[in-house]
Amino acid sequence: MANCILAKIGQLRFLPATNLLQPYRTTTSKHYNPKFKKLRKEKFLKINLHDYNEDIDNLPEEKVRQKMKERGLLPTRPWNDRPFYVSATGGVFEAYIPPEGDGKASIVSTTRAKQTVELLEKKSKSMMAIRKVKSFDEDFDTKEFCRIAQDIYVKAHESLVNNDRHALRTHVTEKAYPEFRHNSFGKTIRWKFLESLEPPRVVHARCTDVISKENIFGQITVRFHTRQQLSVYDRFGRLLHGSEILAKDVLEYVVFEKHLSNVYGNWRVHGKIIPDWAPPKDPSKLTRLMPEEKTVVPEKTDSEETPVVPDK
């Protein structure tokens, strides 16, 4: 029996393996040609991913520096630069000097004649500045600009009276905004523009560049001789300054500025020129709370406490 089993095992040993295994089909993505094995390997790149759970704060400086070198990173620097936009200049450049006694003195006087000659000498610079403005705005005209400037002047003061800060920013530059709003909190202002005694006219014009040669600002000074009414009340309704009945003649030199390089720039009130010879303004009345009256209690003396009894 044992010999028969060994004989069968010997017969199976020499049988082909294909007769024992069942045929089956398989799908593979490998190319049958082995020379593409290297190309298939190069299709995949091994990338060392960043460990976001790593606590960098507790690592030593040398280790952090080594890791940044391996990744090709530069050390961070404190970023203190902030972008800013210059929409207005910080002051009036080459301010206009009004002639002494303008609006009152006679033109025939010697002083006014000298001042007129000086203004004629400086007029060439103003003409060159107006020509520079026309290079940015072809439709610019001094007479038309005076009408627009008066409209801007009236709207700026009406916005201040109505306490409309958004409208005031559109008619006033960033430099003139705090000057307009100064000492106006908690007060009621009544202002009215009555008429123009003389038509407004351009007396001065200048252009300058800021930071770069292409960034140009223009300033034009307009002379206003008008009649206005002004009255200022405090928070208690008491009159501090002016009157709603009386009108006064006002002579002002208002500077208008525009960012010429900006396509969307517009003319705004930039400041007012107050000459040295101008009379001082009337001081405003100061209102204070009346102090409470203190009742004085007379002190009692020793004689009042123990009256003296005459001897009998």
Side-chain angles (χ1 to χ4, degrees):
M1 185 68 182
N3 294 333
C4 294
I5 294 172
L6 292 173
K8 289 182 179 180
I9 292 173
Q11 292 176 1
L12 291 173
R13 186 182 299 172
F14 296 104
L15 288 175
T18 54
N19 295 336
L20 299 176
L21 301 177
Q22 296 182 357
Y24 62 94
R25 294 182 179 181
T26 57
T27 57
T28 178
S29 60
K30 294 183 180 180
H31 200 274
Y32 64 92
N33 195 342
K35 72 178 183 179
F36 292 103
K37 184 177 181 180
K38 182 181 179 182
L39 299 178
R40 288 197 304 271
K41 181 181 178 183
E42 293 177 355
K43 285 171 63 177
F44 301 95
L45 299 177
K46 292 183 179 180
I47 300 175
N48 296 325
L49 299 178
H50 179 63
D51 186 10
Y52 292 97
N53 297 324
E54 187 179 10
D55 190 5
I56 303 177
D57 298 334
N58 296 329
L59 292 177
E61 294 183 0
E62 293 295 332
K63 192 69 175 178
V64 174
R65 184 181 178 186
Q66 179 184 355
K67 286 181 175 293
M68 294 184 73
K69 272 189 169 184
E70 291 175 356
R71 298 167 187 167
L73 300 177
L74 294 175
T76 57
R77 294 186 300 172
W79 187 263
N80 297 325
D81 298 338
R82 294 183 179 179
F84 65 94
Y85 170 64
V86 181
S87 61
T89 57
V92 179
F93 43 88
E94 294 187 35
Y96 173 70
I97 302 174
E100 187 174 354
D102 189 11
K104 295 181 180 180
S106 175
I107 304 175
V108 188
S109 62
T110 308
T111 308
R112 285 297 304 276
K114 292 181 180 179
Q115 292 172 353
T116 305
V117 174
E118 292 177 0
L119 291 174
L120 289 174
E121 293 176 355
K122 297 179 180 179
K123 194 174 181 180
S124 59
K125 288 187 178 181
S126 297
M127 294 177 65
M128 294 295 292
I130 291 174
R131 187 178 298 178
K132 188 74 172 178
V133 173
K134 287 184 178 180
S135 64
F136 289 92
D137 186 5
E138 297 179 356
D139 299 331
F140 181 82
D141 183 35
T142 53
K143 294 182 179 179
E144 183 67 19
F145 173 74
C146 290
R147 185 188 62 81
I148 297 172
Q150 183 172 334
D151 187 31
I152 296 171
Y153 173 83
V154 173
K155 287 182 178 179
H157 286 78
E158 288 178 350
S159 303
L160 177 63
V161 171
N162 299 330
N163 199 19
D164 190 352
R165 291 178 290 179
H166 179 72
L168 184 61
R169 288 190 182 96
T170 59
H171 303 298
V172 168
T173 60
E174 286 74 14
K175 179 255 179 187
Y177 180 80
E179 297 175 1
F180 264 72
R181 297 279 297 175
H182 174 66
N183 207 14
S184 64
F185 300 98
K187 296 180 178 62
T188 304
I189 304 174
R190 296 284 184 264
W191 180 85
K192 184 182 290 186
F193 180 85
L194 299 178
E195 60 177 344
S196 293
L197 301 177
E198 295 181 35
R201 57 187 175 90
V202 176
V203 295
H204 193 71
R206 287 293 183 271
C207 290
T208 187
D209 55 275
V210 178
I211 299 176
S212 63
K213 294 291 184 180
E214 294 79 15
N215 194 30
I216 300 176
F217 287 85
Q219 291 183 357
I220 296 179
T221 306
V222 183
R223 178 184 181 272
F224 291 109
H225 195 193
T226 59
R227 182 168 293 167
Q228 305 173 11
Q229 282 182 351
L230 174 66
S231 58
V232 182
Y233 298 89
D234 65 354
R235 56 178 180 168
F236 304 109
R238 300 167 185 167
L239 183 64
L240 291 176
H241 183 77
S243 173
E244 289 194 31
I245 302 172
L246 300 177
K248 285 191 175 183
D249 299 343
V250 182
L251 178 63
E252 290 181 309
Y253 300 90
V254 185
V255 181
F256 294 86
E257 187 181 80
K258 180 182 179 181
H259 192 188
L260 299 176
S261 300
N262 187 5
V263 181
Y264 304 101
N266 52 0
W267 292 101
R268 297 183 293 175
V269 177
H270 189 62
K272 294 181 181 180
I273 298 174
I274 301 175
D276 299 333
W277 49 264
K281 295 182 180 180
D282 299 333
S284 301
K285 300 175 184 178
L286 299 178
T287 58
R288 297 186 179 91
L289 290 174
M290 294 182 64
E292 297 180 358
E293 296 182 358
K294 297 181 179 179
T295 57
V296 180
V297 181
E299 298 179 358
K300 294 182 180 181
T301 59
D302 298 338
S303 59
E304 294 179 354
E305 292 179 356
T306 56
V308 179
V309 180
D311 297 336
K312 292 182 179 180

